[in-house]
Amino acid sequence: DGDASALFKTYRLYRILQDLGIERDTHIIVYSHGNDFFGTYLIWALDYITHKNSSLLDGGFERWNKENREITQVQTEFERGYYSLPRSLSVNRAIRIYLDFVKLNMARDDVVILDVRHKDFFDGKNGLTKRPGHIPGAIHHFWVDDLNEAGSWKSPEVLRESYKSLGVVPEKVVIVYCNRGRISTHAYFTLKYILNFPNVFNYDGGFNEWSSIDSLPVETGED
């Protein structure tokens, strides 16, 4: 089931960190090609296993390379570290939302459900899920819109106003989702770490899970 899968993936991540020589107090600097969701997905995963010290390189390798910073093709060798494993699964469940929580809280005035997929997916014109559309009551905000043309994040002031215009404010509980919980981590990172929203959660089951349950309602068209 979902919990068993999460448990397996969590311990697999522990082992990968150990193999890379990473320990509990290591500062991990994450980057991918650009400001895509691969880097933010890892940051969210590190948050989930309660790793306290991680950062994301704004603009990723693409920006680093454009600024003519030092690069290498030499593979770094790592001495295997010791990443302390808890006797029982110790994760930050507060940042990961499950289906039942979404169902129980979707109608609350103090909760915002944010769909960060492409608008065509939100409207039901396209998609890779069992049923096209979006979770009823969800607000659409395409994750790419948080970036400027150069690929780095827009200023906090611009981002704050953009989200505020949608009713996404720090006083509310914000649940972000996409299809499978990866792309949505980009908005999770933006809201939690750039705008310092206190209550941001990733529904990583996403619309793939929601749309596969025939008894759950699905909306199409404009929100």
Side-chain angles (χ1 to χ4, degrees), residues 99-123:
L99 175 67
D100 286 344
F101 184 93
V102 178
K103 290 193 296 182
L104 288 171
N105 294 278
M106 58 190 296
R108 285 173 46 182
D109 291 337
D110 61 341
V111 173
V112 175
I113 301 178
L114 195 66
D115 187 319
V116 302
R117 300 172 299 162
H118 190 279
K119 191 65 160 58
D120 284 351
F121 291 177
F122 180 86
D123 288 341

Side-chain angles (χ1 to χ4, degrees), residues 34-221:
N35 266 354
D36 48 43
F37 57 87
F38 296 106
T40 58
Y41 185 56
L42 180 53
I43 292 289
W44 177 75
L46 292 171
D47 283 355
Y48 186 63
I49 65 169
T50 69
H51 189 90
K52 301 297 185 183
N53 200 4
S54 62
S55 303
L56 186 67
L57 181 63
D58 190 9
F61 181 76
E62 185 175 11
R63 179 179 178 183
W64 182 274
N65 196 30
K66 283 182 178 179
E67 293 179 355
N68 296 315
R69 299 180 182 273
E70 184 178 358
I71 61 174
T72 182
Q73 295 180 344
V74 177
Q75 177 66 47
T76 304
E77 297 292 333
F78 299 99
E79 182 177 343
R80 195 172 190 273
Y82 177 71
Y83 199 96
S84 57
L85 302 178
R87 292 184 179 180
S88 60
L89 181 61
S90 176
V91 294
N92 184 5
R93 296 185 183 275
I95 67 168
R96 185 183 184 214
I97 291 300
Y98 292 84
L99 175 67
D100 286 344
F101 184 93
V102 178
K103 290 193 296 182
L104 288 171
N105 294 278
M106 58 190 296
R108 285 173 46 182
D109 291 337
D110 61 341
V111 173
V112 175
I113 301 178
L114 195 66
D115 187 319
V116 302
R117 300 172 299 162
H118 190 279
K119 191 65 160 58
D120 284 351
F121 291 177
F122 180 86
D123 288 341
K125 298 176 182 178
N126 202 345
L128 304 172
T129 53
K130 182 179 180 181
R131 292 180 291 160
H134 58 269
I135 296 174
I139 295 172
H140 179 259
H141 177 78
F142 190 31
W143 69 278
V144 175
D145 291 340
D146 289 341
L147 305 176
N148 58 41
E149 291 183 1
S152 57
W153 262 278
K154 294 177 180 177
S155 71
E157 293 76 20
V158 170
L159 292 170
R160 189 174 293 108
E161 287 302 315
S162 175
Y163 280 103
K164 183 179 179 180
S165 70
L166 298 173
V168 183
V169 293
E171 295 77 20
K172 294 192 175 184
V173 172
V174 185
I175 300 172
V176 295
Y177 80 91
C178 55
N179 278 344
R180 295 179 178 271
R182 296 178 177 86
I183 294 174
S184 51
T185 61
H186 196 277
Y188 163 86
F189 184 91
T190 302
L191 292 167
K192 184 177 180 68
Y193 290 112
I194 297 179
L195 298 182
N196 297 314
F197 276 40
N199 298 303
V200 185
F201 309 95
N202 184 29
Y203 170 38
D204 66 323
F207 197 67
N208 186 65
E209 177 182 51
W210 184 277
S211 68
S212 69
I213 303 173
D214 293 334
S215 61
L216 294 178
V218 168
E219 289 183 350
T220 58

